[in-house]
Amino acid sequence: MTVTAASTSSKTASAPGRRRLADAEGVLAVLAQASNPLRAREVVGLLGLDAVDANINALRTRLERLAKAGQAHRSGRGLYTVGAGRPGAAG
């Protein structure tokens, strides 16, 4: 059997029914607009996503990664704000 470009491109494309939870810029925009630190559950709601455990846990992971990269700040247990160098950051 010969593999063609058409057959391999469908495997590399993302699944049509699958949607990314929330991109980093969207999450950071929500944090920047907030007047207080937010929890993952609150960010999920503000992004208009269903507040189910899978979404909350995925967003919590994204917030942790953004904090590790310095784009977000963990101000308390489970509480996040936008990082110091980002627009909308306090201080």
Side-chain angles (χ1 to χ4, degrees):
M1 177 177 175
T2 304
V3 178
T4 64
S7 65
T8 58
S9 65
S10 64
K11 292 179 183 178
T12 58
S14 62
R18 189 166 185 178
R19 191 184 125 196
R20 286 183 56 129
L21 174 67
D23 64 351
E25 289 303 316
V27 172
L28 292 170
V30 167
L31 292 177
Q33 293 174 357
S35 57
N36 296 316
L38 297 175
R39 295 191 179 281
R41 181 177 299 274
E42 295 169 311
V43 177
V44 164
L46 291 169
L47 288 170
L49 301 169
D50 293 332
V52 295
D53 287 345
N55 287 347
I56 296 165
N57 289 335
L59 191 69
R60 186 175 294 124
T61 299
R62 176 161 313 269
L63 287 166
E64 290 170 2
R65 288 178 181 164
L66 289 169
K68 193 176 227 182
Q71 294 181 299
H73 174 71
R74 185 175 174 193
S75 59
R77 185 173 177 171
L79 295 170
Y80 294 88
T81 59
V82 71
R86 306 262 325 164

